[in-house]
Structures are given as structure tokens and as C-alpha cells.
Amino acid sequence: MRIVACTEGSFGKIEPFSLEMITAARMAGAAGDEVVAFFAGQDPEPAVTSLGAADRLVAASAGNTQLIAAESYARLLADTVAAEEPGLVLVPYSANGLDVAGDLAARTGWPLVSYVNEISRDGDWLAVVAQVYGGKILAECSVPLPAILMVNPGAFAEAERRAVDPSKLQHSDATPVVAEGKVRLVGVEVPNYDGVDLTTAERIVCVGRGIGDEASIDIARGLADILGAEIAGSRPVVDSGWLPKVRQVGKSGQKVKPKLYLALGVSGAPEHLEGMSKSDLIIAVNTDPKAPIFNVAHFGATCDLFDLVANLSERLQTGR
Ligand SMILES: Cc1cc2nc3c(=O)[nH]c(=O)nc-3n(C[C@H](O)[C@H](O)[C@H](O)COP(=O)(O)OP(=O)(O)OC[C@H]3O[C@@H](n4cnc5c(N)ncnc54)[C@H](O)[C@@H]3O)c2cc1C
């Protein structure tokens, strides 16, 4: 069987989850299966220098656009699927993948399972574990092949980053497909990080909706100051305007890997875990013992965050 692993990259970089898709493809594959990485973007170079762990790379590029819209990516992928006739297509759960996976399922009529964390092969079927309700429930699914899986970033380890052998590269010009697309790129705005760089922070105290209100963030900020940590927030905290966007962790925020990540009142939705699950040490505080954040936490406390922050701050200050 052939497995197509979709990959993404822009501004000279490959998304790390691209390498995870190759690992996921190997997990789903059997001996003799071929893993084909698919890439569409402005510049094929980051894919060519990184995705050598796949057996082949099919890359389409359009040098005249900074980003390829999901509509065009999906068209290019559909052409590749028609040519390669894979038994399985893996799409990352990304902003692009959300549009692309549904498009491909509609075109092919193949089953699509989203939020996939685990994959194993059972003959002509796959056994898949997928998250539902923000990770509170894990669904075990049997999926007949051919199929499409949308895989959670962070669920699989990254495959080794190495260059693609030139004989294994098939490159095409995506410019005509992009030109025919109805979705046009108007511009790219790079966020103003204002001196805040969570991606290099060694310690982060992250507040979730459990913090309750904007004023209470000062309590967590006090603990962050004592720990020499940056303060960060989940998306609802940022959407509420309690912290600036540059301090958001997750799928649509920063991807962080500090030595210490203290999560206060964060439930641990897949979109949040995507940004922090690779932290060296994760400590979670949540009143709900079933909160999915505890699935990735090294240590956890099921108590009121305000009690814990007050006690911990006092002990750290008094040294007792
Ligand atoms: C395309 C897309 C992109 C997204 N991108 C992001 C992203 O980048 N980052 C992100 O965070 N989310 C993102 N989300 C949203 C994500 O799905 C969740 O909705 C969000 O992460 C939930 O935030 P939360 O954990 O703060 O809130 P909730 O899920 O409401 O969790 C609050 C938690 O606080 C606990 N709690 C309440 N009171 C206390 C207390 N006193 N003490 C201790 N614990 C308490 C509760 O038990 C609960 O578990 C995205 C969603 C989509 C669809």
C-alpha cells in the first residue's frame, strides 16, 4: 500500500508536524508499504532538505505567492491522490488541514477520522484512537481502507530530519492551480512580538479560563515573577482581552518548550496541547480530575488554583 503524508511549510521553514506525519505513516504502514510525502508551498527547499525520512517527496511550488491557500493545496493534493492511488492519506490537524481533509473526503468518498492520536493496521482496516470533546473522551474506531485521517500535531514523534535523495523528488509548478483559485492572498501580517518571546522562555506560568477574570491574572503574575517565569494564557484568556495575543500558547498561538510549564486552570484541549506538550516538565493545577491536561502533565494537583498559588507563593518567598 502507498501512504500519502501531507506536509506544510512557509517562510523558509517546514512545520515540525510534517515530520510527525511521516512517523504516523510508518506506524500505519506494513512491511513493503511506501510513504510518499506531499508538500505544496512557495518554496520547496525546506521540504527537500527535511523530509528524506519519507520514501519519496511530491512537491508543488508557486514562487509568486507567500502562502498557498487551502483551496489550491486541496486541488494539488487531489491530483496527487489520483496519480498515486494511495490506500491512506494523513493530513495534519492544522488550519490548512482542517479545510483540506474535508475537501479530499468529499472528492474521494473515503471515510475521514479527525483528531487522531493513535493508528495501527489490521489487514484492510485501521484501528484508530481519536479524541472527542476536547480530549475528554477517546474514541476507538475501526476504519476501512482507503481512508483519510486528520492527525493531531504532537501525537507522534518527529521523523529524522534529513535531505531527500534527488532521485526521490518529483517537483511540479503549482502556479497555474494557484492562479485558477478563487481564494487570493491579500497580504501577510507578522505579529508584533514586542520583546516577548515565549518560544525561548525557560519557565512559563500559563493561565486558562479557570483563572476567572482579568484581575485575578495578577495573582498568577505574582507567582510567575517569583519563579522568574513568563506569563502566558490559553486562547479564551487572550480572546477575552485579558492577555495580549503574543502570550497565547497553542495551535493558533506560540509553540513552546520550556523547562517548566505550570498550567493553572487550563483544561488541556488538543489545540492547547499542540503548543506545549513537548515542555520538559509540565505541572497542571485543575479542580477537574478528568481534565485532559493531566494526560500530558508530569505532576498534577486537583485543587483550587487560588489556594495553590497563594500557598506556593508564600513558601517560595519565605523559603519554608
Ligand atoms: C482552530 C482552533 C484553534 C485553537 N487554538 C487554540 C490555541 O492556540 N490555544 C488554546 O489554548 N486554545 C485554542 N483553541 C481553543 C481550544 O479548543 C479550547 O477551547 C481552549 O484551549 C480552552 O481553554 P481553557 O483550557 O482555558 O478553558 P476551559 O476549557 O474552559 O478550561 C478551564 C479549566 O479550568 C478549570 N478550573 C476552573 N476553575 C478552576 C479553579 N478555581 N482552579 C483550578 N482549575 C479550575 C476547569 O476544570 C477547566 O478544566 C483553538 C480552537 C480551535 C478550533
Side-chain angles (χ1 to χ4, degrees), residues 260-284:
L260 169 67
Y261 191 88
L262 177 58
L264 303 173
V266 176
S267 61
E271 296 84 4
H272 188 82
L273 300 187
E274 181 178 336
M276 47 64 72
S277 62
K278 291 182 178 161
S279 303
D280 289 352
L281 177 65
I282 299 169
I283 302 176

Side-chain angles (χ1 to χ4, degrees), residues 93 98 207-210 233-237 248-253 265-269 271-272 285-288 291 303-306:
Y93 172 42
L98 272 167
V207 292
R209 191 149 37 192
S234 66
R235 179 159 157 180
V237 167
Q248 181 182 321
V249 171
K251 174 184 274 309
S252 44
V266 176
S267 61
E271 296 84 4
H272 188 82
V285 183
N286 197 306
T287 43
D288 177 3
C303 64
D304 189 304
L305 73 89
F306 295 102

Side-chain angles (χ1 to χ4, degrees), residues 6 26 29 42-44 47 51 60 73 106 112 118 157-158 169 181 186 188 190 219 228 245 251 280-281 286 312 320:
C6 294
R26 296 276 178 223
Q42 180 187 33
D43 175 12
L51 301 178
Y73 186 107
L112 163 63
E118 293 173 32
E158 289 177 21
L169 170 65
V186 177
V188 176
V190 180
I219 298 167
K245 177 79 180 161
K251 174 184 274 309
D280 289 352
L281 177 65
N286 197 306
L312 184 59
R320 280 186 290 123

Side-chain angles (χ1 to χ4, degrees), residues 227-249:
L227 290 170
E230 289 284 354
I231 189 87
S234 66
R235 179 159 157 180
V237 167
V238 170
D239 284 352
S240 303
W242 301 346
L243 283 175
K245 177 79 180 161
V246 289
R247 294 195 180 270
Q248 181 182 321
V249 171

Side-chain angles (χ1 to χ4, degrees), residues 5-80:
C6 294
T7 69
E8 294 175 24
S10 53
F11 307 109
K13 285 188 188 151
I14 198 81
E15 287 289 349
F17 58 61
S18 302
L19 295 158
E20 297 172 16
M21 294 306 117
I22 295 174
T23 305
R26 296 276 178 223
M27 302 288 284
D33 284 354
E34 185 187 31
V35 175
V36 178
F38 169 79
F39 174 87
Q42 180 187 33
D43 175 12
E45 203 47 32
V48 172
T49 53
S50 307
L51 301 178
D55 297 315
R56 280 192 292 127
L57 170 64
V58 174
S61 65
N64 59 349
T65 181
Q66 283 180 293
L67 295 171
I68 288 195
E71 177 202 23
S72 303
Y73 186 107
R75 237 306 287 283
L76 294 159
L77 175 62
D79 291 347
T80 299

Side-chain angles (χ1 to χ4, degrees), residues 187-258:
V188 176
E189 271 183 41
V190 180
N192 174 9
Y193 287 99
D194 233 358
V196 179
D197 186 2
L198 293 183
T199 62
T200 56
E202 293 210 335
R203 296 171 191 183
I204 291 176
V205 173
C206 180
V207 292
R209 191 149 37 192
I211 197 75
D213 55 37
E214 184 174 7
S216 301
I217 293 181
D218 279 343
I219 298 167
R221 205 177 264 119
L223 176 60
D225 287 346
I226 296 168
L227 290 170
E230 289 284 354
I231 189 87
S234 66
R235 179 159 157 180
V237 167
V238 170
D239 284 352
S240 303
W242 301 346
L243 283 175
K245 177 79 180 161
V246 289
R247 294 195 180 270
Q248 181 182 321
V249 171
K251 174 184 274 309
S252 44
Q254 302 296 311
K255 313 279 186 294
V256 301
K257 198 177 172 297

